[in-house]
Every structure is written in structure tokens, then in C-alpha cells.
Amino acid sequence: MRILAVAALVALAIAPWALARYQLSILTDLLIFGLFALSLDLILGYTGMVSFGHAAYFGLGAYGSALVLINFAQPIPVALLAGALLAGAVALPIGWFSTRATGIYFAMLTLAFAQLLYTVAYKWRDLTGGSDGIAGVPKTALYWGGPSLASAQAFYFVVATCVVLSLVLCRAFVHSPFGRALQAIRENERRFTSLGRDPRPFKLVVVVVAAVFAGLAGALFAPFRGFASPEVMFWVMSGQGLMMVITGGIGTLIGPIVGAMVFILIQEVASSYTEHWMIFSGAIFVLMVIFLPGGLVGTARRLAIRG
Amino acid sequence: MTAVLHTEKLGRAFGALRAVTDVTLDVQAGELRAVIGPNGAGKTTLFHLISGLLPPTSGRVFFQGVDVTTLASPARCRRGISRTFQITSIFPELTVLENVRIAVQLKSGGNFRILGGRALLQTSERRARRSLESLGLLHRAEELAATLPHGDQRLLEIAMAVAQEPELLLLDEPTQGLSPEDTTETVAVIRRIAREQRLTILLVEHDMDVVFDLADRVSVLHFGQLIADGTPEEIRRNADVQTAYLGVVE
Amino acid sequence: MSNLVEQLLNALALAGLLFLVSAGLSLVFGILRVVNFAHGVFYMLGAYLGFTSVAISGYFWPSLIVVPPVVGLVGALLEASTLRFIYRRPPIYQLLLTFGLALILEESIRVLYGNTAKGIDPPPLLDGSLDLAGIIYPRYRLFVIVLGLAVGCAVWLFLTRTRAGLVTRAVAQNSEMADCLGADVARVRTLVFGAACALAGLGGVAAAPMTTAYLGMGISVIVDAFVVVVIGGLGSIPGSMAGSLIVGAAQTWGAFYLPETAMVIMYAVMGAILIFRPWGLFGEEE
């Protein structure tokens, strides 16, 4: 396992020199969505809560970062912070209400709130640009007066660093006493309660933490792609996040990142053949849920233990 | 001396159904009290009322002299009431060790630690191992709880509750579904830990042999009401109890 | 005064549609313990199939009768081929599966019908307005109100008064026992799922003359249905009725008095329920 991790890090490090520009661009995209999927795994894989609205936090991060970059021309890290914090701040009240409901009600509420945010983004033309979104988001500098991050390589490094750091932080998070408690909630919430704690505060914290990481991913997305639009908050996007996590392997952290990459690559290939690749994505997803619930990484681990 | 547990006219109704009515009982420290009664007598409901899973519709619950009637089950657990469930309720995809360790952690605290939790994890793990050992499950520590045979899962449930070092341990039909061999082993384990850790135990049981083997005192429920309370011998000779059971008591 | 009555009727019409959808959602949950994320898409399917049916036959009434069973059949087939295999899994997987089905169905509808909305004209009988003691009100909306009530009563009667309804409720309460007693549990589940989808489809056909058949209607109605069942409580038909009335009223009056923020009222009500009674008005406390 360690060897794979080191190899992956090395590969990430030398990528700007090894890959062509457009390939590097794709890799950057994959990493951003990998982070998005990673954040969702905290809720889905470790705490056992299904969220149909996680894309809303991604979107909030994108809008937050876009607005900061366009209106205040701040360095990228400031924009990232703005996006991540905005997502976390909105997650607090939404999470508070949502976690008052359990299980299925929670899932329904995540969708309801996300659609609410989507509608706000769609209608509030003055702030968000409405259905057109915000375009022309620049890649600014690393810090005030610092080097520009406009080049593909430079921005790639920002993204890769953020993703690797996030993965490290999330790993520490899930192995901490708090993270262990989350897993117990996932396994048997009733037992958890009768063992001495109310699960709600735990759920609220993980929702906010996951939102912050999703917001970070969104905040990277806006300058990378150069725009922020309501589509990134749409339920379809949340669904794609779920598919990425399931494909890669729920509850494994690295799995969702892998899943995101596989999913997007499949999407790229499929969409070149047909405009309706979503049917195939959906079908593959349904098949995975039935036959391979552990996802790619989960199944690989199981096979590794057996073999 | 204050009883560890004192219920006063405890009752719970579900609409027109009176599951538990007017139950007043006392459990002293170090006592092993069995609660018996025919099916549907309200034994598990009584447990829910004591552990805090269900609020009563009448009456009160006193734990170590304090009125805990309005406290929910997490709070009561933290005060010292730990329980097992009639239908095995564990954390299936976690290891046996982690099942017990998390039980310790949830009770003792530090649950919101994200950084610097190593010491906490180690302490809770040590306590968990001790608990597993006293229940004879240490050799299965690294196995997933879901893969354990039914008998060991029942023991795991007990280990989780015992590891919390409760002042009052509620065991809901610990031998349910067990083979005769497993039953004997479980009874031996309960007797041993009760003695070693000087636990106060409230036990719901259907198996009369187990009851007469373990109990210091027996309370009998029938249609939600307490119809008898005494030593196992007294209960065995009690006419009302015999009528209620009709043939179960020799 | 006439305004108020008109508002009330609008609210009832909206509630009627919401009830048709959320009742099905509630039924599926109450009996299969599954939340069917694809439920809204079956509603949309009903609307689009209604459009096709009217376009082919030229008549509305037959469509109202023919389309729901077709939608129900689609639902039953999907249940039997996918959902059936994962009932024993943790609920997370069932939720995700129905979500996947929703995506497939939604995209399939886009493939078949394209992106433009499809309108249906109401039948001559229901076209135009009625004069109700000085209030001019569209006949079609009155029809929707009546339909909602009728279906609500029919479902209630079915579940409480018929033998099949009894079996259905038995399966809901204790499927293993029902199985032992001879009920074909798998078949009951498929039938219930199909019936719920048919209800949603009926809602869709009924809605189409009012709202047109458009691609966003699936997600829009499922969100509304979710809010309805959060307020009313899952698994309860009276709950769906109450929730539908509340949401219908909130949306109607909200749209009238505070157009831009109509949605907020609905969420505010939902928020209040979550604070004081998180399992819904008629739901079961966990």
C-alpha cells in the first residue's frame, strides 16, 4: 500500500513534465472532482448518510471563489478560502435542520435544500449572473505580488497540492476518535445512542467539514474552468458525485478519487459517441449498486485479502 | 441505603394498550435481579423505560437516588446505566475490538477529538481488551462483528455494556437463541463478571434454569403489572406466579 | 372575498396533484421501506405519455385511463429487474439504486421527446371556466381537485377495506410472517411499486394540461413530494393529504403575496416541523 502511495505521489509530481498540456488539463479536472467525491465519502462512506445535495456546496465554493477573483482580484488562496468558508457557513444552518431528521428524511432534505440553493443561484441575476453564471474568472497569483498561476502547470500544482493535503487531512479525520464515532453511527445509530451519545452533533460537524472540502473543490473549479454556473449545483451533479463514490469504493477515501477519475474518463469517452451517455452512466451505476457495492477499490481490497 | 434503581409506579401506555402499569421496584447494589413473565408481559418495555429509550406515561425512575425520568437514554447511559438488547444490536462492519472500544469511548468522552487522539484511542483500546478477555472473546478481537456466530455476538453485546463499567447493567434476554452449550457458557460468564466486578444487574429471562441459577431476587411481571417479588424459592412457590405461567414453573 | 376562494381552489388543485405523487411515494415507503427517488420521473413519464396518447388518439379521457397502467408496468418491470435483488441490503443502496433509475429514465425521456415542452389541451368537457356563485374558475382545475379526493378515498378504502389491502399491509408490517402465511411477498412488492408508479403517472397525465409536459417537472415534483412527506410523515396516507394541503396552500398564497420568495414559505413550514416534530405530523416517532 505504501509503495502505491509513493508511486502515486511521484507520478503526480512529474506529471507537468510527462504529460501534454491538454492531458495535464484533464488530470487537473480529474483531481478537482476527485476532491469533490472525497468530501462526499466523509458523509456517505463514513457516516452512512446519503446526500442528494452535495453539489450545492461545490457550487457555493465555485461562486464564492469566482466573486472574490472577479470583483476583488485577490490571490488564489484567498479565493479558495472564501469558497470553502462560504460552503461551510451555508452548511451550518442547512446541516442543523437536516440532521434533525434521520435516515431517509435527511436524504430528502438534502435534495430540497440543494434545489433551493440552485433556484437562488438561477434567479439572483445581480449576484450570480443567473442562468448564464459568472464568466471570465481569472487565475490570479499565489500571493499578493507573487507569481502568476495562469499557466496550466502552475495551476495544476495548486490543485494537486490541495487534493493531496485534503486526502491527508481526511485520513487523519476518519482515524481520529471523532472519525471512529462517525463509523459507529453508520453501523448502528440506535446502539450508538444507547451507548451514551446523541449522534446529531457528530452528523452536523461532518456535514460542515464535508461541505468545506466540497467548497474547496468548487473554489478550484471556478478559476480552472474560468466560470461558475448553476449547473454545478444541479441535482444531476450531486448524483454524479454519488456515482463517483460508489464506483470507486464507498468508505475508502482513495476509492472516491479513483472513482471520480474513472467516471469522468468514461464520460469523456462515452460522450464522444453519443449525446445520451447519461443513460449508460446510469445503467452502469445501477449495475454497480447491485453487483459491486464495494466499488473498484473496495472490491480490489476484498480480493487482495482473499488472494 | 439508597437503592441503585428505584422505580415508582412506573407505567407506559400505547394508546389503549397498557404495556407496563404501576411498577414499583428496588434494586440494591451488587444484586442480580431477574425479571420474568410470560410473553407480552412488558419486560422489554420496562427495560426501555429504565434505560431511557421510552419515556413513561406515568411514574418515575430514580437512579442512585436521582430522578432521571426526564433524561433521555444517552444521558442515562453516561450516568451509569448500560444495556444489551433482545435482538442483537452491534456494529456489524466494525471489528469486535472496535465494537467494545467505541462503547468505552462513547461513555468516557473525548468524542470530538480530531487531533491528538492517540492516547485516548490507546486507553480505550486497553479497556476494551480487558473486557473482551473477561468475556472470553479476546481471540476474536480482529474479526468483523458480523462474522461472529450468534452466541459470540450475544457475548459481544454484553462485553460492550460491561466495558462501560456501569453502575447498573440491564441484560435483555442474554441467552435468547443460544444452544444449551452456549447458554451454560454465557451463564457462567455472567456469574463470573457479576462477582468480579461487583455489578448490579437487572436481567430479563425466559429460561427458568438460568433465572434460578443466577438470580438473587426475582420480580414477576404479568400483563405489565408486578405480581410477585422475592427470592427464587419464594417465587417458585408463589401461587399467582404459577397461575400466570401455567406449567412453566415446576 | 372571491380572490380568497380562488386562492383556496388553486391550493386544492395543487394539493391534489401533490397528493397523487406523494401518496405513491408514501405507499412505497410504508410497504417496501424504500424511498423511490425515481418517483418524480414516473410522474413526468405519465405527462409525456399522456401527450403522445392524446396526439395519437385525439382524446383525453382514454389517455387518463390508459397511461397510468402503462407507467405502472414500467415501474413494476424496473422493480422486478433491479430493486428486487437488493431489499436485504442497507437502505442506502436502495436509495442510490432508485436514483440511478431516475437518471436513466429522465435521460430516456429526453432521447424520446427532445428538449421542448409538450402541451396538451384539456378535453372539451373540462375546457373553459365554470361560474360558481360569482367566481369564474377553470373547470380543469376543479377536475383535478375532484380527482385528488377520489383517488385519496379509493386508496384509503383499498388499504383498509379490501382483502388485498389487508395482505399489503401485512407485508408492510412483517414480511417474513406474511410470507409464511402464504402471501407472495415478492409479488406484493412488485405490485405495490407498480401501483405507486401508476399513481404518479396518473398525476402526470392530470398535470399535463395545466403545466405542460416538460423536462424539469420530474425533479421539481419530487422535491415538492419530499417536502410533503417530511411535513406529513412517510408511510401515512393521511400524512400525505395533510402535507399536500399545507404545501399546496403555502405555495399558492406564497406565490400570490410574495412571488419571488414563495418557496421560502414552504421551507419555513418544513423547518418548523423539523424543529418540533421531525418525524412529520402523522409519522412514527423513531
Side-chain angles (χ1 to χ4, degrees):
Chain A
M1 264 299 131
R2 282 282 158 81
I3 305 175
L4 278 173
V6 171
L9 274 175
V10 169
L12 281 178
I14 64 171
W17 293 276
L19 296 176
R21 190 153 185 272
Y22 83 92
Q23 287 173 326
L24 192 64
S25 190
I26 293 181
L27 181 59
T28 314
D29 208 36
L30 294 179
L31 284 171
I32 290 179
F33 284 101
L35 180 56
F36 173 59
L38 171 67
S39 71
L40 183 55
D41 199 23
L42 289 175
I43 303 181
L44 183 65
Y46 286 91
T47 323
M49 302 194 285
V50 180
S51 170
F52 289 125
H54 206 56
Y57 301 118
F58 183 86
L60 282 166
Y63 276 106
S65 139
L67 288 168
V68 162
L69 289 170
I70 285 212
N71 294 324
F72 304 108
Q74 293 294 308
I76 289 283
V78 174
L80 294 183
L81 202 63
L85 288 178
L86 177 63
V90 173
L92 206 55
I94 291 184
W96 190 87
F97 277 104
S98 306
T99 55
R100 287 192 69 80
T102 50
I104 282 152
Y105 290 110
F106 172 82
M108 295 193 280
L109 285 172
T110 58
L111 180 68
F113 283 119
Q115 277 305 104
L116 177 64
L117 286 170
Y118 170 80
T119 310
V120 168
Y122 202 86
K123 289 201 170 161
W124 200 352
R125 289 207 139 256
D126 293 336
L127 184 68
T128 65
S131 52
D132 297 323
I134 303 177
V137 181
K139 297 189 187 75
T140 55
L142 188 58
Y143 48 86
W144 291 280
S148 160
L149 295 168
S151 72
Q153 289 91 337
F155 203 77
Y156 163 82
F157 271 122
V158 172
V159 171
T161 314
C162 285
V163 175
V164 170
L165 272 177
S166 299
L167 180 60
V168 169
L169 284 173
C170 286
R171 274 200 95 229
F173 183 73
V174 302
H175 287 126
S176 69
F178 183 80
R180 307 276 199 111
L182 291 179
Q183 293 179 63
I185 293 177
R186 175 195 72 211
E187 288 299 310
N188 191 335
E189 196 172 320
R190 195 186 182 220
R191 197 68 174 102
F192 185 91
T193 310
S194 72
L195 283 172
R197 300 284 156 181
D198 180 358
R200 277 190 315 215
F202 293 86
K203 290 177 168 183
L204 178 58
V205 169
V206 75
V207 165
V208 172
V209 169
V212 166
F213 281 109
L216 176 61
L220 286 166
F221 176 88
F224 173 66
R225 293 276 196 94
F227 70 89
S229 79
E231 267 70 59
V232 303
M233 296 174 98
F234 203 44
W235 66 280
V236 173
M237 171 79 164
S238 292
Q240 292 181 328
L242 291 172
M243 293 197 275
M244 293 176 198
V245 175
I246 295 283
T247 307
I250 201 175
T252 57
L253 287 187
I254 193 78
I257 299 183
V258 170
M261 295 185 161
V262 168
F263 184 82
I264 293 183
L265 285 173
I266 290 183
Q267 216 173 282
E268 291 285 310
V269 171
S271 61
S272 64
Y273 284 109
T274 162
E275 181 189 340
H276 303 291
W277 49 268
M278 266 232 264
I279 299 188
F280 297 108
S281 294
I284 293 180
F285 179 60
V286 167
L287 288 172
M288 287 219 86
V289 169
I290 299 179
F291 295 112
L292 274 181
L296 292 170
V297 172
T299 313
R301 278 190 185 169
R302 208 161 298 167
L303 291 174
I305 294 178
R306 275 212 233 124
Chain B
M1 193 171 77
T2 332
V4 169
L5 176 71
H6 170 65
T7 72
E8 197 166 285
K9 297 208 170 75
L10 201 54
R12 172 75 198 196
F14 296 101
L17 174 69
R18 300 243 195 88
V20 172
T21 314
D22 221 19
V23 171
T24 300
L25 54 77
D26 286 284
V27 182
Q28 305 296 338
E31 193 183 318
L32 200 155
R33 171 79 64 98
V35 175
I36 65 175
N39 270 321
K43 308 189 289 294
T44 297
T45 310
L46 180 63
F47 259 34
H48 289 339
L49 292 171
I50 296 174
S51 72
L53 234 112
L54 269 183
T57 45
S58 59
R60 296 195 287 173
V61 179
F62 290 86
F63 180 63
Q64 295 183 315
V66 177
D67 188 343
V68 295
T69 316
T70 52
L71 291 184
S73 74
R76 291 197 205 182
C77 174
R78 289 201 303 276
R79 275 177 183 263
I81 305 179
S82 294
R83 69 169 292 177
T84 66
F85 287 88
Q86 190 178 359
I87 300 176
T88 312
S89 184
I90 51 180
F91 302 111
E93 296 294 314
L94 300 183
T95 62
V96 165
L97 179 62
E98 181 63 15
N99 265 263
V100 183
R101 195 206 66 80
I102 199 77
V104 173
Q105 179 185 308
L106 289 176
K107 172 120 183 236
S108 55
N111 287 286
F112 281 91
R113 252 177 195 280
I114 297 175
L115 297 171
R118 182 168 301 176
L120 208 138
L121 292 173
Q122 283 173 340
T123 329
S124 51
E125 194 173 301
R126 248 175 289 144
R127 275 177 61 184
R129 283 185 190 277
R130 275 205 305 268
S131 182
L132 283 176
E133 192 172 21
S134 69
L135 274 124
L137 283 175
L138 193 55
H139 61 291
R140 289 204 188 262
E142 299 302 326
E143 292 176 36
L144 286 185
T147 61
L148 254 54
H150 180 62
D152 282 347
Q153 282 187 352
R154 301 300 279 148
L155 283 177
L156 176 58
E157 266 233 55
I158 300 176
M160 285 162 75
V162 167
Q164 292 193 318
E165 289 169 12
E167 306 293 333
L168 174 64
L169 177 64
L170 304 174
L171 296 176
D172 197 349
E173 298 202 37
T175 66
Q176 192 201 49
L178 294 185
S179 66
E181 298 85 43
D182 284 340
T183 304
T184 322
E185 185 193 326
T186 306
V187 166
V189 164
I190 295 176
R191 198 189 298 120
R192 189 179 65 234
I193 59 171
R195 199 182 52 235
E196 278 174 8
Q197 299 177 40
R198 278 179 292 242
L199 291 172
T200 309
I201 300 181
L202 195 55
L203 171 78
V204 164
E205 251 306 333
H206 266 301
D207 186 334
M208 286 308 143
D209 293 328
V210 171
V211 170
F212 289 120
D213 221 342
L214 285 176
D216 298 323
R217 290 184 71 82
V218 179
S219 297
V220 186
L221 278 186
H222 188 48
F223 288 131
Q225 292 185 296
L226 202 58
I227 61 170
D229 201 328
T231 65
E233 268 312 305
E234 289 168 3
I235 295 300
R236 180 180 285 181
R237 289 192 301 259
N238 186 306
D240 296 327
V241 173
Q242 286 169 1
T243 323
Y245 267 100
L246 250 133
V248 179
V249 177
E250 298 108 47
Chain C
M1 180 58 198
S2 65
N3 236 344
L4 207 62
V5 177
E6 192 179 323
Q7 295 289 316
L8 184 66
L9 290 173
N10 281 340
L12 284 174
L14 186 56
L17 284 177
L18 282 175
F19 175 73
L20 285 170
V21 177
S22 54
L25 192 67
S26 224
L27 261 176
V28 169
F29 179 77
I31 292 163
L32 282 72
R33 301 266 159 227
V34 168
V35 172
N36 179 15
F37 193 93
H39 205 64
V41 187
F42 286 107
Y43 171 82
M44 187 163 78
L45 184 63
Y48 275 94
L49 285 179
F51 162 78
T52 303
S53 168
V54 170
I56 293 178
S57 68
Y59 294 107
F60 178 78
W61 295 105
S63 311
L64 198 65
I65 303 191
V66 167
V67 169
V70 172
V71 176
L73 191 65
V74 172
L77 282 171
L78 283 173
E79 189 273 347
S81 57
T82 57
L83 202 53
R84 175 182 290 208
F85 300 110
I86 61 168
Y87 278 123
R88 293 194 190 275
R89 298 251 197 100
I92 238 183
Y93 291 103
Q94 291 145 18
L95 207 49
L96 291 170
L97 185 115
T98 57
F99 180 81
L101 291 178
L103 281 171
I104 297 177
L105 275 173
E106 162 121 7
E107 194 60 24
S108 305
I109 292 177
R110 178 175 289 140
V111 170
L112 288 171
Y113 289 95
N115 278 320
T116 48
K118 311 288 182 198
I120 304 183
D121 294 321
L125 183 67
L126 298 175
D127 207 357
S129 310
L130 206 58
D131 191 337
L132 294 169
I135 303 163
I136 312 285
Y137 197 73
R139 288 188 192 193
Y140 194 77
R141 290 194 182 214
L142 288 170
F143 164 67
V144 171
I145 295 175
V146 170
L147 184 67
L149 274 170
V151 171
C153 291
V155 171
W156 182 248
L157 285 172
F158 172 79
L159 283 176
T160 51
R161 298 288 153 85
T162 68
R163 191 179 147 74
L166 192 63
V167 173
T168 308
R169 285 189 297 145
V171 170
Q173 296 233 346
N174 190 333
S175 60
E176 274 166 24
M177 197 54 168
D179 196 25
C180 291
L181 290 171
D184 187 339
V185 172
R187 165 124 60 103
V188 169
R189 288 197 171 125
T190 306
L191 284 173
V192 168
F193 194 86
C197 292
L199 270 177
L202 177 63
V205 183
M210 263 168 64
T211 67
T212 75
Y214 63 99
L215 281 173
M217 77 193 294
I219 187 71
S220 158
V221 88
I222 195 79
V223 172
D224 286 345
F226 281 169
V227 176
V228 165
V229 297
V230 168
I231 292 177
L234 261 179
S236 155
I237 297 290
S240 297
M241 271 190 185
S244 302
L245 285 168
I246 293 175
V247 173
Q251 285 198 350
T252 307
W253 273 295
F256 188 70
Y257 293 109
L258 303 156
E260 278 313 310
T261 51
M263 215 190 276
V264 178
I265 298 195
M266 193 171 79
Y267 282 88
V269 174
M270 191 175 71
I273 298 277
L274 283 171
I275 296 178
F276 298 111
R277 218 184 141 83
W279 48 90
L281 293 171
F282 288 82
E284 291 161 359
E285 186 170 351
E286 272 292 317

